[in-house]
Amino acid sequence: MNAGTLGRLQEQFRGEIIQPSDAAYDAARKVYNAMIDKRPGLIARCTDVADVMAAVKFGRESDLLTAIRGGGHNAGGLGICDDGLVIDLSRMKNVHVDPKARTARVAAGCVWGDVDHAAHAFGMATPSGIISTTGVAGLTLGGGIGHLTRKYGLTIDNLLSADLVLADGRFVHASAENNPDLFWAIRGGGGNFGVVTSFLFRLHPVDTVYAGPTFWPLEQADEVMKAYRSFIVKAPEDVNGFFAFLTIPPAPMFPPHLHNRKVCGVMWCCTGAAEAAEKATKPMRSIGKPVLDHVGPVPFPVVQSLFDAVYPPGLQWYWRADFFKELSDGAVAQHVEHGSRLPTPHSTMHLYPIDGAAHLVENKETAFSYRDANWAGVIVGVDPDPANRGKITEWCRDYFDALHPYSSGGAYVNFLMEEGQERVQASFRDNYDRLATVKKKYDPANFFRVNQNIRAAA
Ligand SMILES: Cc1cc2nc3c(=O)[nH]c(=O)nc-3n(C[C@H](O)[C@H](O)[C@H](O)COP(=O)(O)OP(=O)(O)OC[C@H]3O[C@@H](n4cnc5c(N)ncnc54)[C@H](O)[C@@H]3O)c2cc1C
């Protein structure tokens, strides 16, 4: 980038501008998934909305491929790009809780740990994911599935409004009253429509939850999974528990004789009274003979950060995902076969329940298109060693190929890597055409295209 072109941005920009020749460049271009190794031409680390406006204007006028980076967690590395401009929001961190109104205004560079910390001081929370280091922006814009989904819905079901900078540089507010078409589209349609600079979320009284894992030996996986599929869809909405195949980490919270053992399990996170949660989860926890049943009252932010240390940034990740309405015997058999062959200790498969409160919203009410599914499944091959890339990728693809015929056809967009336009369309399903119409209105030239891309309607 020549000095004259760059000067135009520098005149209007207060944040940090990082170029390939800068010492900070290599650290700044890193994202969570170490399999992604992209080299942008320029990283614009914004400090405020004015910086975002200047960066969008600069990217558009210089005709640069432009990526938006929130928490940098995206599976396919869509928070960064090769050669072009990265609008990096990671410095825009602020959470303002209004305890009376039960809302939180969250700046777009926050990760979920920032929100949990601020809201927990008031005994409140809003639905997010299952790890505290994920970005608020990317997770929310794709939908948001996590520990509180069955009780309080997806993250987008608790989004009251958002502020955005559009491709033409305008700053707009999106809510049920203002630009409702845009508000509909950003609730599941990803970063296709503009740079969100802040979100307003509804908070709920969630303080201490009844949480923790129940693990069973792999030999019982068939019995446990079959019990789980009928248990969870009938359980009270206070009960959330996702199913997993995993390797027990060698962490102090687990007895040493279980360290590094491959198991299947349910990770619980229940709202409401602990006694009621204990009673409601007991039938499932009494199936077979668990090797560990470690469930009890825990502060919500602790549950949200339980996996942080196991999954630090910088591991190799390969993802595949699908939605599932049912878990037939055939699907269970494939899960047991592939889930029992985890290729590395970090690799895992999670089935997140998305029924309960998430089913109270219709498919067409937000851009998130699979309200009729009961689970969002994700298979992740993970390892610190790049030499194991082939191994984790092959296992993940084989598992996905075996399961896909049992799926609803599309995946949660936040669990997709770069898998092509057909897969994007399958994931937005009947909402795709309406999204394409909104795209035409707000970003007709497809300036925001480093994402699970929606093409503007013809
Ligand atoms: C370890 C791990 C655990 C996860 N757990 C969950 C989970 O429990 N539940 C769940 O729902 N998801 C989960 N995810 C998936 C997560 O939701 C996606 O990876 C999401 O894209 C991350 O958002 P980010 O802001 O960190 O990502 P980034 O890589 O920064 O951005 C991802 C995408 O979001 C867009 N984007 C980011 N910020 C903005 C913005 N301000 N305005 C407009 N567009 C923007 C970008 O266009 C980009 O395409 C997990 C991911 C990881 C790696």
Side-chain angles (χ1 to χ4, degrees):
M1 211 148 295
N2 67 49
T5 316
L6 201 58
R8 291 207 311 267
L9 177 62
Q10 277 161 336
E11 275 166 22
Q12 299 165 356
F13 202 79
R14 272 200 168 186
E16 209 181 339
I17 294 174
I18 304 167
Q19 300 184 74
S21 54
D22 291 334
Y25 178 76
D26 273 331
R29 73 181 180 86
K30 273 199 184 119
V31 288
Y32 184 80
N33 182 358
M35 226 184 243
I36 310 293
D37 182 24
K38 294 189 181 167
R39 306 187 69 86
L42 198 71
I43 300 171
R45 256 195 195 146
C46 305
T47 55
D48 57 15
V49 174
D51 276 355
V52 176
M53 289 166 116
V56 167
K57 183 168 184 269
F58 175 75
R60 194 187 62 246
E61 288 178 355
S62 313
D63 201 17
L64 292 172
L65 178 68
T66 300
I68 313 164
R69 181 187 174 127
H73 257 225
N74 188 261
L78 295 174
I80 194 146
C81 59
D82 273 323
D83 302 324
L85 167 70
V86 176
I87 300 180
D88 180 340
L89 305 169
S90 61
R91 292 277 158 83
M92 289 175 58
K93 280 192 193 286
N94 182 265
V95 182
H96 177 80
V97 174
D98 181 338
K100 211 166 162 200
R102 288 192 174 174
T103 58
R105 157 102 27 223
V106 181
C110 289
V111 297
W112 281 106
D114 301 325
V115 181
D116 296 335
H117 171 76
H120 188 67
F122 298 94
M124 292 191 271
T126 199
S128 54
I130 61 140
I131 195 161
S132 81
T133 53
T134 308
V136 170
L139 181 140
T140 302
L141 295 169
I145 297 168
H147 286 310
L148 299 178
T149 302
R150 294 193 77 244
K151 178 66 178 177
Y152 295 118
L154 304 177
T155 305
I156 48 171
D157 301 336
N158 298 278
L159 181 65
L160 298 171
S161 67
D163 291 337
L164 293 96
V165 176
L166 302 178
D168 63 9
R170 272 184 303 144
F171 176 77
V172 297
H173 187 65
S175 67
E177 294 78 32
N178 298 286
N179 302 303
D181 52 351
L182 182 60
F183 188 54
W184 175 85
I186 61 168
R187 285 177 293 160
N192 273 282
F193 305 95
V195 184
V196 175
T197 54
S198 82
F199 299 88
L200 183 69
F201 293 107
R202 184 186 299 119
L203 297 175
H204 301 277
V206 178
D207 189 352
T208 297
V209 288
Y210 185 76
T214 308
F215 294 142
W216 290 266
L218 284 179
E219 300 72 53
Q220 293 171 36
D222 180 77
E223 180 191 359
V224 172
M225 210 168 189
K226 284 177 179 165
Y228 171 80
R229 71 182 171 194
S230 40
F231 167 82
I232 198 72
V233 292
K234 292 188 203 125
E237 288 177 3
D238 274 317
V239 172
N240 208 100
F242 72 82
F243 184 94
F245 284 101
L246 73 155
T247 306
I248 300 179
M253 74 173 274
F254 301 114
H257 73 278
L258 292 179
H259 288 179
N260 300 314
R261 181 163 172 182
K262 287 181 189 175
V263 290
C264 68
V266 176
M267 175 66 200
W268 304 101
C269 178
C270 307
T271 46
E275 302 72 36
E278 158 115 54
K279 196 169 160 211
T281 52
K282 207 72 198 167
M284 184 66 218
R285 290 158 61 204
S286 306
I287 297 292
K289 288 202 178 91
V291 291
L292 185 87
D293 187 33
H294 192 63
V295 195
V298 193
F300 182 67
V302 174
V303 181
Q304 282 282 88
S305 49
L306 270 185
F307 295 101
D308 293 7
V310 182
Y311 292 111
L315 305 177
Q316 309 277 317
W317 288 73
Y318 191 84
W319 298 61
R320 279 290 178 270
D322 265 322
F323 285 113
F324 297 90
K325 191 165 188 171
E326 289 168 356
L327 294 174
S328 66
D329 287 356
V332 171
Q334 295 300 340
H335 271 298
V336 174
E337 185 184 336
H338 293 271
S340 301
R341 289 195 280 111
L342 300 171
T344 58
H346 288 85
S347 299
T348 187
M349 189 290 301
H350 290 177
L351 271 176
Y352 300 106
I354 51 167
D355 61 328
H359 277 192
L360 299 177
V361 180
E362 298 277 328
N363 266 345
K364 58 180 184 319
E365 285 181 63
T366 64
F368 187 94
S369 310
Y370 278 87
R371 301 282 185 167
D372 49 333
N374 284 316
W375 290 276
V378 63
I379 305 158
V380 282
V382 191
D383 198 66
D385 188 351
N388 285 331
R389 257 173 115 146
K391 189 158 102 173
I392 59 176
T393 303
E394 198 181 322
W395 168 80
C396 187
R397 281 190 184 146
D398 286 350
Y399 197 159
F400 170 80
D401 288 346
L403 249 297
H404 186 63
Y406 299 95
S407 76
S408 301
Y412 174 38
V413 285
N414 273 345
F415 292 162
L416 287 176
M417 295 191 82
E418 289 189 272
E419 298 174 33
Q421 199 59 22
E422 212 175 291
R423 205 70 181 119
V424 175
Q425 290 205 359
S427 299
F428 288 117
R429 226 174 17 170
D430 297 342
N431 283 332
Y432 188 86
D433 289 347
R434 186 169 164 196
L435 281 163
T437 306
V438 181
K439 179 81 173 176
K440 187 179 179 188
K441 179 170 167 190
Y442 291 96
D443 183 20
N446 205 9
F447 176 66
F448 297 113
R449 60 184 178 278
V450 185
N451 45 40
Q452 300 302 345
N453 197 232
I454 292 155
R455 308 268 161 81

